[in-house]
């Protein structure tokens, strides 16, 4: 709607005209009064008084009209003033009603149009701001913006996570009070000085993070702020470290049997072959070392298949009790003078699992327990239902595991006593963890050093008779 400047209102013209007429009438009255006195001996005077009274009446009526109109205009103006203060308080939906059809109608129309424009602009700005803040909060990179005084004007969620900032009240604080890293603060000030972006890789030891940081000046010279983007390289670095550790672990595991095989082959070549007893002994040891390397390679291959999800584990209803009984007899047959192994699963427990893989889990846990439980000790297998799962436990009265090792037991190559040559590769429990996870279950351990260990794993439960409930 185009605004127009209000023209001189009709009421003003009429009232002004009436005032003018009344003044003319009053003056004419006085004139006639003087003249009447002279001419008519009294009659002219009466007429003159009537004319003056009519003039005064018209003046009075005109003044009344002016007051009534002013009151109405005041009411309209008050409505507009009230509207302006409501809009400035944020009530953008407020509109002023058209009270009268005088010039204030134009004012209220103009006000309403302004309110319409302001509310549309604010809506557009707030929707743009919401989009921007959603975008910034879902970004994988941290973003921090500071003004020319180095105060933070924006800090997204990722930046909060990267710098371990729990409190969300950072806006307006100085960058140096929030990000306590000298290199980043220096980069922010340097990029303003040289008026160019600076990129660098930074390590923050307190939060154990590796970051790629870019500081870009916004605006020109020292008058502008700084945009800092932070890309977290921690996972990439950790992966690189894991890969290096993996290669070094595999090399380490292979080096000793290879060196031993090489030494024994050398001894055989340089004459031990002639000594039948020594030759047999060397060959037996070579065989054992080769077995160890073969087992390491097959464990590695299995772990790699499980980790990459290539291993197809088909799940079917499996009766747990018979799997436990079979595993116990297999392990008992391997050890002549070991601890007693018993199952406390007396009822049918049907789980959703893979027969071969569940047996592999049980064998691994039982063999570990046998390895670390002296003869005379006891190993017990139990089961109890836990929600939709069955929790199977392998409990032993062996040497136990110190608390600091418990969180690492299921990591690849983790051995509690690295010096002990028990023939293990440190991959067994990592494989167990992956198999259990492929069944949708979880695995955990508990132990008291010197008293024994407990290993637990859960499997989806199909049917149970009467196993103990948690
Ligand atoms: P490995 O394949 O060499 O047996 P595991 O991954 O199965 O390795 O086990 C990791 C480490 O956990 C072992 O080196 C051992 O020290 C410790 N461990 C596992 N089970 C037991 C247990 N029942 N009692 C004591 N220590 C155990």
């Amino acid at each position: 709607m185009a605004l127009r400047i209000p023209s001189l209102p009709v009421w003003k013209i009429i009232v002004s005209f009436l005032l003018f007429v009344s003044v003319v009438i009053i003056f004419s009255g006085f004139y006639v009064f003087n003249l009447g006195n002279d001419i008519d001996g009294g009659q002219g005077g009466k007429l003159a008084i009537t004319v003056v009274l009519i003039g005064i009446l018209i003046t009075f009526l005109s003044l009344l009209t002016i007051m009534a109109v002013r009151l109405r205009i005041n009411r309209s103006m008050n409505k507009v003033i009230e509207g302006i203060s409501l809009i400035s308080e944020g009530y953008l939906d407020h509109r002023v009603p058209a009270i009268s059809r005088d010039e204030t109608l134009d004012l209220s129309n103009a006000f309403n149009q302004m309110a319409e424009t302001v509310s549309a602009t604010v809506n557009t700005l707030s929707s743009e701001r919401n989009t921007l803040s959603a975008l910034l909060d879902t970004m994988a990179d941290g973003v921090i913006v500071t003004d020319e005084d180095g105060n933070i004007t924006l800090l997204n969620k990722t930046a909060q996570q990267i710098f371990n900032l729990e409190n969300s009240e950072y806006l307006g604080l100085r960058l140096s009070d929030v990000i306590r890293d000298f290199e980043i603060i220096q980069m922010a000030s340097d990029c303003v000085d040289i008026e160019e972006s600076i990129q660098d890789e930074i390590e923050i030891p307190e939060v154990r993070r590796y970051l790629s940081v870019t500081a870009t000046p916004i605006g020109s010279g020292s008058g502008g702020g700084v945009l800092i983007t932070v890309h977290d390289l921690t996972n990439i670095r950790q992966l690189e470290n894991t890969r290096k550790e993996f290669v070094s672990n595999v090399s380490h595991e292979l080096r000793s049997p290879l060196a031993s095989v090489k030494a024994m082959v050398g001894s055989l070549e340089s004459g031990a072959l002639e000594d039948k007893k020594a030759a047999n002994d060397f060959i037996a040891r070579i065989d054992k070392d080769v077995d160890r390397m073969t087992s390491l390679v097959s464990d590695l291959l299995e772990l790699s298949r499980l980790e990459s999800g290539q291993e197809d584990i088909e799940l079917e209803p499996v009766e747990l009790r018979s799997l436990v009984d079979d595993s116990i007899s297999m392990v008992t047959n391997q050890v002549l003078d070991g601890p007693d192994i018993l199952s406390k699963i007396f009822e049918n427990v049907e789980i959703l699992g893979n027969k071969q893989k569940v047996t592999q889990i049980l064998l691994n846990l039982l063999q570990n327990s046998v390895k670390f439980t002296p003869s005379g000790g006891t190993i017990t297998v139990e089961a109890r239902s836990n929600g939709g799962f069955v929790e199977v436990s392998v409990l032993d009265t062996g040497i136990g595991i110190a608390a600091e090792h418990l969180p690492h037991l299921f990591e690849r190559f983790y051995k509690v006593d690295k010096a002990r040559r028990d023939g293990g590769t440190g991959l067994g429990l990592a494989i167990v963890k992956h198999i259990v996870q492929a069944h949708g279950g979880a695995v955990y351990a508990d132990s008291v050093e010197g008293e024994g260990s407990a290993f637990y794993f859960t499997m989806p439960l199909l049917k149970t008779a009467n196993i103990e409930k948690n």
Side-chain angles (χ1 to χ4, degrees), residues 368 371-372 396 401 409 414-416 424-426 428-429 453 455:
N368 275 349
K371 223 189 288 179
F372 299 106
D396 67 51
I401 304 161
L409 285 181
Y414 195 82
K415 292 184 192 175
V416 171
T425 57
L429 288 178
S453 307
F455 284 82

Side-chain angles (χ1 to χ4, degrees), residues 48-313:
I49 288 168
T50 313
V51 170
V52 169
L53 283 177
I54 290 173
I56 290 171
L57 186 70
I58 295 174
T59 311
F60 180 70
L61 287 177
S62 304
L63 289 175
L64 261 185
T65 313
I66 290 174
M67 273 170 66
V69 171
R70 271 258 64 95
L71 266 178
R72 210 174 50 192
I73 290 176
N74 275 0
R75 259 202 357 251
S76 303
M77 292 299 280
N78 283 343
K79 287 278 166 204
V80 173
I81 291 167
E82 186 194 2
I84 290 171
S85 66
L86 282 171
I87 293 272
S88 63
E89 281 168 27
Y91 298 99
L92 300 182
D93 291 338
H94 182 77
R95 300 291 177 268
V96 174
I99 291 177
S100 57
R101 303 201 56 78
D102 52 32
E103 71 264 47
T104 59
L105 181 68
D106 286 335
L107 184 62
S108 48
N109 282 345
F111 172 87
N112 287 343
Q113 196 191 350
M114 177 215 63
E116 207 65 60
T117 316
V118 168
S119 126
T121 312
V122 169
N123 283 345
T124 314
L125 284 177
S126 83
S127 103
E128 275 172 12
R129 203 190 56 183
N130 290 346
T131 313
L132 182 69
S133 101
L135 190 82
L136 284 169
D137 281 343
T138 49
M139 268 177 76
D141 286 353
V143 177
I144 304 170
V145 178
T146 64
D147 61 16
E148 65 265 32
D149 299 322
N151 296 329
I152 294 175
T153 54
L154 190 149
L155 190 144
N156 74 344
K157 270 194 189 142
T158 313
Q160 282 184 32
Q161 282 158 8
I162 291 177
F163 294 104
N164 276 358
L165 304 172
E166 273 144 32
N167 171 7
S168 55
E169 296 302 315
Y170 305 109
L171 300 186
L173 297 186
R174 290 194 68 73
L175 179 69
S176 50
D177 292 337
V178 177
I179 310 296
R180 297 182 177 278
D181 184 84
F182 172 75
E183 283 178 86
I184 296 180
I185 295 160
Q186 192 62 43
M187 282 173 75
S189 99
D190 287 352
C191 80
V192 174
D193 292 345
I194 62 169
E195 294 185 28
E196 252 178 48
S197 285
I198 304 178
Q199 197 271 330
D200 206 355
E201 281 188 19
I202 286 172
E203 185 187 348
I204 304 192
E206 304 92 71
V207 282
R208 291 212 187 157
R209 289 194 185 267
Y210 298 92
L211 308 173
S212 163
V213 180
T214 309
T216 311
I218 317 172
S220 58
S222 56
V226 178
L227 166 71
I228 301 169
T229 49
V230 187
H231 184 64
D232 195 351
L233 300 174
T234 314
N235 284 347
I236 299 171
R237 283 288 162 86
Q238 270 169 358
L239 273 177
E240 279 170 11
N241 286 347
T242 314
R243 193 183 51 80
K244 279 186 205 150
E245 248 173 55
F246 178 77
V247 172
S248 120
N249 278 325
V250 173
S251 325
H252 177 81
E253 288 296 326
L254 286 174
R255 198 168 41 220
S256 32
L258 277 174
S260 139
V261 169
K262 174 106 180 114
M264 285 183 283
V265 169
S267 304
L268 287 171
E269 275 174 351
S270 48
L273 256 182
E274 312 305 324
D275 179 350
K276 207 164 179 340
K277 191 167 166 292
N280 281 344
D281 183 40
F282 281 153
I283 286 167
R285 278 159 61 188
I286 289 173
D287 192 36
K288 208 168 151 207
D289 281 331
V290 170
D291 277 353
R292 193 165 155 213
M293 289 187 280
T294 312
S295 128
L296 173 72
V297 170
S298 69
D299 277 359
L300 277 173
L301 283 174
E302 164 135 43
L303 194 60
S304 133
R305 277 198 306 270
L306 284 164
E307 281 184 345
S308 62
Q310 282 171 10
E311 181 117 314
D312 211 6
I313 299 182

